[in-house]
Amino acid sequence: MKLPKRYKPKEAEPRWQRHWEDAGIYRFDRFPDRPIYSIDTPPPTVSGAIHIGHVFSYVQAEVIARFWRMRGMNVYYPFGFDDNGLPSERLVEKERGVKATDVGREKFVQMCLEITRDYEDEFKVFWRSLGLSVDWDENYSTIDPTSQRISQRSFIDLYRKGRVYRREAPTLWCPECHTAIAQAEIEDSEHASVFYDVAFGIDGRDLVISTTRPELLAACVGMFAHPSDERYADIVGRKATVPLFGHEVPIMADEKADPEKGTGLVMCCTFGDTTDIAWWQEHGLDTRIVFDEQGRMNELAPGYEGASLKAARRKIVDDLRSSGLLRGEDPITHVVNVHERCGTEIEFSVASQWFVRVLDIKDEIIEAGSKVSWHPDYMQVRFRNWVENLKWDWCISRQRYYGVPFPLWVCGGCGEVVLANDEDLPVDPTVTAPPVDACPACGGSEFAPERDIMDTWMTSSCTPFLNVKWGEKDARVDRFKKEADGTEFLMDLRPQAHDIIRTWAYYTVVKSVLNEGKVPWRTAMISGHGLHPDRAKISKSKGGAAAHAPSQIIEERSADATRYWACSSRLGTDTIVADEGFDAGKRLVVKLWNASKFAIMRLEDYDAQAPRELALIDRWLLSKLARTIDRATASFEECEYHAAVEAVEPYFWHDLCDNYIEIAKKRLYGDEGYDEGSRRGAQYALYQALLAVLKMLAPVIPHITEELHSLYFAAREGMTSIHVSDWPAAPAEWRDEEALQSGELALAVVEAMRKIKSTHKVSVATPVGTLRVACDDATWQRIEPLAGELKDVSNADAVEHVPAGGEGFTETGVEGLAVAADLKEQ
């Protein structure tokens, strides 16, 4: 059988992708009697085009799905789209050039549905081009009716359990996105700023405070000094006048004031930071919110109404300077909290919001997280640290349009909450009447619909519930769940990136614990990020993603080379997008094709049932293969795809191609001096080695391995696809320690022989008179059975054992073993 000269991935990859889908190779329940391995696939946010960073993490998880499918599992590998909430709204506003508040709720939601649907269609085309082994019949959107119903069901369950409450409280607020946000949605960002020394007044005396937020002077409600700070002991209990705005505020003592910071006197505003909130609560201070939902100054800041916070800062500083109230300016760089979605500095506002109570169960959440097997294991520390340092309950309401509605109405008479009935879900209370005519608490008949929508993480945190169809008529919770050491798990695997441990992982654990009393998954597989050459993260929100357009990379490099790059670093590590990884993947594909071409030609008449005689070098190859299978299998089981590739590649390149094929070539050709049994032995070893290599590399580079498997092995193995074939397993007879040791010693001799020829700048085919092996007798006894192979591969007339210690020998790297050769002139 003769294979084409070159493998053409541009033709082969789309062909196999169509075949896999048409034949239902990756369909869930294709093998319904097998145990289920379920994957809580991360639904990508529909907020812009896919970038190479997505490829990096999604391929790593998909490789594990392929591995478990070959291990005989009925793999549940769905795909969803996180297409509701603020990220999708911002995409639509950008694409259509509108603001949600300008076009109205109904029209804007329709825009969102249209645009996100178009993006999802593009996403599906791309993921197919990468060869993802997803069951596309198990597809969901976080805004589809089933997802909305399950999300609303989860909320109602939490409300009835007393875990949900609504209150007016200081809330993290994004002036750009015009909505409340949760603690998990803020991140630190280093900004240049200025410490302004500002003079307050008290009975003609100046009290200087240092602040980076002069725009909040109008929001000042108090001043604090440390109780032990004698500089201010005489004014505690009195009132100071706020510069420019003229209102008086009390001066108080509190240990949270730092006497070493600035002047030791600090103003308290509503609100600049969490310390302000604590003082406001503890001392019962007034509330002065000086900006509106758009982040513009209001009537409490006369003279600055309508100005943005930044513009107000500039004007207030100018006015302080011209009034002689600005006593100093000290440029600094400090860390501020920004909204992760848009990068805007967050503010604090007082508004009525919905919360999930979590601060009282932090220990329970940490305990649930400890029952998950984290890979890498240090990622569990990140989870624990996040939960331990939580300061806020989970704010779940958003003042936006596009998302899952809260399934409730509020009685206009007494404020009683009326929940939707489960059979009516999903509901939109702004268009649907409540399920009762009269309030069960007061009998009133006037109800106000809840107009806020749920935070997108309220739905994303339900992905295990979406997958097991929680509460649905066709629910499969019992079918999917696993139990280990008395703990019930909803699913097997959660793959995700490390930056959303604090959001997606954390919120999902919270929901699973509170709604179901279970741990969401047995294993969490945490990936790193793809990085720009300057080591900045590639992301849609941060920009720069277009420079690494994955469709173009696949077109230029091939899907398999791209997948290889994604697996070229250890799990959890961030990796620069560089040519080397793609080039290495391409070289591997080419080498597999060329090596397989040679092997398949030599295996055309291979008969697995024919009598065979395994030579020592055959046993060495199989023994090395057994070890390689062990390492690759153990690595994949631990989600360490990179370690698996690191185990297989040296075996393929070095042991199989560089050495075994060269050593066994004459036997495979059937040269004179080798009987049929010996040739059959070499065929058996080559067949098993190549098939196992293809299978072990199939999860990472599925197209080339499928192509080669189909050309020769599929018919012999009786399998329609390598991807549903059995994972390689080494029989006991392959494990031959004696053959392994002899083979390694012989190969050390071969490597030294090649080094000698390279040093003399001659071809490896250059003939040798006598190849002399210097070693002790015990070592020679192990090498001597392979003397014939050494003679053939070195193109030597003879191989001779000599005592160790002579001059003119090349060391092999094995202690006490050296080589010399008489090179012939050509």
Side-chain angles (χ1 to χ4, degrees):
M1 178 181 184
K2 189 173 182 180
L3 273 65
K5 185 176 181 180
R6 290 186 178 86
Y7 170 67
K8 299 178 180 179
K10 287 186 178 181
E11 297 176 7
E13 290 180 345
R15 169 164 43 84
W16 284 117
Q17 290 156 13
R18 290 191 299 270
H19 169 75
W20 293 331
E21 195 153 345
D22 292 345
I25 297 297
Y26 308 128
R27 189 177 67 245
F28 175 57
D29 273 347
R30 178 185 173 92
F31 303 104
D33 295 332
R34 294 181 175 183
I36 291 174
Y37 187 85
S38 55
I39 301 174
D40 187 15
T41 317
T45 304
V46 182
S47 57
I50 292 171
H51 56 74
I52 196 66
H54 291 110
V55 172
F56 185 67
S57 56
Y58 276 82
V59 165
Q60 292 169 6
E62 194 265 355
V63 163
I64 303 304
R66 288 182 176 276
F67 166 73
W68 285 109
R69 193 178 289 113
M70 295 177 72
R71 286 294 298 277
M73 304 295 280
N74 180 12
V75 173
Y76 175 74
Y77 186 30
F79 207 88
F81 296 99
D82 193 5
D83 52 3
N84 79 87
L86 183 58
S88 296
E89 283 200 24
R90 289 179 60 81
L91 170 69
V92 173
E93 288 179 332
K94 180 181 178 181
E95 295 247 330
R96 291 291 175 90
V98 299
K99 285 286 186 181
T101 51
D102 295 337
V103 299
R105 184 182 191 121
E106 185 177 352
K107 184 175 181 181
F108 186 71
V109 167
Q110 187 58 41
M111 288 181 183
C112 290
L113 289 169
E114 292 170 359
I115 288 180
T116 55
R117 194 177 300 119
D118 290 343
Y119 269 92
E120 286 164 22
D121 290 341
E122 291 178 14
F123 283 13
K124 289 177 184 177
V125 170
F126 171 75
W127 291 123
R128 285 181 168 101
S129 75
L130 194 59
L132 254 60
S133 59
V134 166
D135 181 351
W136 290 103
D137 290 334
E138 298 288 343
N139 184 28
Y140 67 84
S141 145
T142 57
I143 200 67
D144 68 32
T146 299
S147 296
Q148 290 198 46
R149 182 166 55 248
I150 290 174
S151 297
Q152 291 182 342
R153 181 178 295 132
S154 168
F155 171 83
I156 291 172
D157 180 62
L158 294 178
Y159 186 91
R160 288 176 173 158
K161 288 175 176 176
R163 302 308 307 184
V164 170
Y165 64 93
R166 182 163 198 168
R167 76 173 185 190
E168 189 170 89
T171 304
L172 296 165
W173 186 267
C174 177
E176 170 65 23
C177 299
H178 309 159
T179 186
I181 61 174
Q183 182 182 351
E185 295 174 81
I186 63 175
E187 59 186 17
D188 293 339
S189 180
E190 196 169 83
H191 283 202
S193 187
V194 177
F195 250 135
Y196 296 99
D197 293 337
V198 179
F200 283 59
I202 179 170
D203 297 335
R205 171 185 173 185
D206 285 347
L207 297 177
V208 178
I209 62 100
S210 296
T211 180
T212 60
R213 301 294 306 274
E215 69 273 21
L216 293 184
L217 282 169
C220 182
V221 293
M223 298 180 74
F224 286 91
H226 194 275
S228 65
D229 195 335
E230 296 181 357
R231 292 173 294 177
Y232 306 111
D234 63 321
I235 61 171
V236 170
R238 299 170 67 184
K239 291 188 176 182
T241 302
V242 177
L244 299 183
F245 299 98
H247 62 281
E248 292 188 331
V249 296
I251 304 170
M252 292 160 284
D254 193 287
E255 291 185 350
K256 287 189 284 294
D258 183 357
E260 303 298 323
K261 186 174 182 180
T263 63
L265 197 62
V266 61
M267 71 173 180
C268 172
C269 304
T270 52
F271 299 95
D273 56 24
T274 55
T275 303
D276 285 346
I277 294 172
W279 278 331
W280 172 78
Q281 291 172 331
E282 293 167 12
H283 295 272
L285 299 175
D286 291 341
T287 303
R288 291 176 64 90
I289 304 299
V290 299
F291 58 89
D292 60 20
E293 293 182 356
Q294 281 73 42
R296 297 189 174 277
M297 305 300 281
N298 61 25
E299 69 281 356
L300 289 178
Y304 306 94
E305 300 98 323
S308 68
L309 287 163
K310 288 186 177 180
R313 178 186 298 184
R314 291 192 295 269
K315 189 172 190 307
I316 287 171
V317 168
D318 287 343
D319 291 346
L320 287 169
R321 188 180 291 114
S322 62
S323 301
L325 297 171
L326 186 63
R327 302 301 171 79
E329 300 177 57
D330 183 16
I332 63 167
T333 299
H334 67 158
V335 173
V336 299
N337 293 142
V338 299
H339 187 191
E340 65 171 359
R341 299 294 186 186
C342 63
T344 303
E345 291 185 45
I346 63 103
E347 301 293 344
F348 293 88
S349 184
V350 173
S352 182
Q353 304 289 349
W354 286 99
F355 296 86
V356 175
R357 187 177 288 106
V358 294
L359 293 181
D360 62 327
I361 59 165
K362 293 202 300 188
D363 289 344
E364 190 175 342
I365 296 169
I366 290 171
E367 174 65 18
S370 71
K371 294 177 179 178
V372 176
S373 177
W374 296 81
H375 298 275
D377 57 5
Y378 61 81
M379 294 296 180
Q380 183 183 349
V381 177
R382 296 193 185 185
F383 178 85
R384 173 185 287 273
N385 288 344
W386 172 255
V387 179
E388 287 178 340
N389 289 286
L390 283 172
K391 296 180 177 65
W392 301 69
D393 281 335
W394 179 10
C395 178
I396 60 172
S397 49
R398 297 292 182 269
Q399 291 65 53
R400 303 290 295 190
Y401 291 162
Y402 186 54
V404 178
F406 285 94
L408 62 88
W409 301 256
V410 179
C411 174
C414 67
E416 179 76 6
V417 169
V418 175
L419 298 170
N421 293 326
D422 189 84
E423 59 269 21
D424 297 330
L425 302 179
V427 299
D428 182 348
T430 65
V431 298
T432 304
V436 296
D437 296 325
C439 174
C442 71
S445 59
E446 296 293 328
F447 297 93
E450 176 56 74
R451 293 189 173 276
D452 285 354
I453 61 170
M454 295 185 197
D455 168 25
T456 185
W457 292 113
M458 270 291 282
T459 301
S460 300
S461 60
C462 286
T463 51
F465 295 169
L466 304 183
N467 290 319
V468 302
K469 300 186 177 181
W470 184 67
E472 299 290 285
K473 291 179 180 178
D474 56 346
R476 46 195 181 192
V477 177
D478 290 339
R479 190 169 174 222
F480 276 39
K481 72 179 181 183
K482 302 289 176 64
E483 187 170 342
D485 300 324
T487 300
E488 285 193 355
F489 302 88
L490 290 170
M491 301 185 74
D492 285 289
L493 177 67
R494 156 63 71 83
Q496 65 163 76
H498 58 65
D499 61 323
I500 52 174
I501 289 175
R502 71 173 195 253
T503 49
W504 195 33
Y506 160 66
Y507 290 139
T508 307
V509 172
V510 169
K511 281 290 199 73
S512 298
V513 168
L514 294 180
N515 283 129
E516 269 290 289
K518 295 181 175 66
V519 178
W521 348 266
R522 296 176 67 176
T523 302
M525 176 183 177
I526 310 299
S527 66
H529 290 142
L531 302 178
H532 293 289
D534 63 1
R535 302 201 66 80
K537 173 188 171 185
I538 298 170
S539 72
K540 289 177 283 192
S541 61
K542 308 290 184 201
H548 301 288
S551 295
Q552 181 179 346
I553 290 174
I554 290 173
E555 176 69 19
E556 295 173 356
R557 303 284 195 168
S558 83
D560 278 347
T562 304
R563 292 170 61 96
Y564 180 92
W565 162 79
C567 295
S568 61
S569 61
R570 294 190 308 276
L571 178 65
T573 59
D574 298 337
T575 300
I576 292 174
V577 180
D579 290 342
E580 291 83 356
F582 298 97
D583 292 342
K586 181 179 179 180
R587 286 195 298 272
L588 177 59
V589 167
V590 171
K591 186 67 174 181
L592 273 174
W593 181 259
N594 291 334
S596 297
K597 275 200 308 181
F598 170 82
I600 289 172
M601 286 191 292
R602 304 278 71 80
L603 294 172
E604 276 193 276
D605 65 341
Y606 171 63
D607 181 355
Q609 306 304 318
R612 58 178 175 264
E613 180 183 338
L614 293 178
L616 183 58
I617 198 65
D618 302 331
R619 288 158 41 210
W620 164 81
L621 182 70
L622 296 173
S623 189
K624 287 281 294 225
L625 177 58
R627 287 194 174 188
T628 302
I629 292 171
D630 291 346
R631 282 186 58 199
T633 303
S635 297
F636 275 127
E637 286 176 343
E638 295 296 311
C639 302
E640 291 290 351
Y641 50 84
H642 178 61
V645 173
E646 282 191 323
V648 179
E649 275 210 83
Y651 178 80
F652 168 68
W653 285 92
H654 182 67
D655 296 327
L656 180 58
C657 296
D658 292 348
N659 291 311
Y660 180 78
I661 288 179
E662 292 302 315
I663 290 171
K665 193 174 287 185
K666 290 187 176 181
R667 283 196 296 141
L668 289 166
Y669 279 118
D671 282 7
E672 186 178 343
Y674 295 102
D675 60 27
E676 189 63 12
S678 178
R679 187 172 78 91
R680 295 292 185 191
Q683 284 184 317
Y684 172 80
L686 179 59
Y687 181 98
Q688 298 297 339
L690 181 57
L691 178 58
V693 165
L694 292 177
K695 287 185 175 185
M696 288 186 287
L697 291 175
V700 177
I701 46 175
H703 303 88
I704 180 64
T705 50
E706 184 78 289
E707 180 88 352
L708 292 168
H709 182 266
S710 71
L711 289 172
Y712 179 76
F713 294 100
R716 291 173 174 271
E717 297 290 314
M719 299 301 300
T720 57
S721 170
I722 193 173
H723 302 297
V724 290
S725 66
D726 292 336
W727 185 254
E733 59 267 24
W734 287 6
R735 301 180 187 278
D736 187 332
E737 192 63 28
E738 181 182 328
L740 192 63
Q741 292 178 4
S742 295
E744 294 301 300
L745 289 170
L747 290 184
V749 173
V750 172
E751 290 296 330
M753 182 67 256
R754 290 171 177 162
K755 183 178 179 181
I756 291 169
K757 291 183 177 181
S758 175
T759 300
H760 287 80
K761 298 181 180 181
V762 297
S763 164
V764 293
T766 299
V768 173
T770 300
L771 174 64
R772 296 188 299 281
V773 180
C775 60
D776 59 33
D777 291 342
T779 302
W780 177 248
Q781 285 178 4
R782 291 178 175 174
I783 297 174
E784 187 177 20
L786 291 167
E789 283 82 354
L790 292 176
K791 177 172 171 288
D792 287 344
V793 77
S794 300
N795 198 13
D797 294 335
V799 176
E800 179 182 292
H801 172 225
V802 298
E807 294 184 0
F809 284 79
T810 297
E811 298 295 330
T812 64
V814 176
E815 187 176 356
L817 179 62
V819 176
D822 301 324
L823 298 178
K824 294 183 177 181
E825 293 185 7
Q826 289 184 288

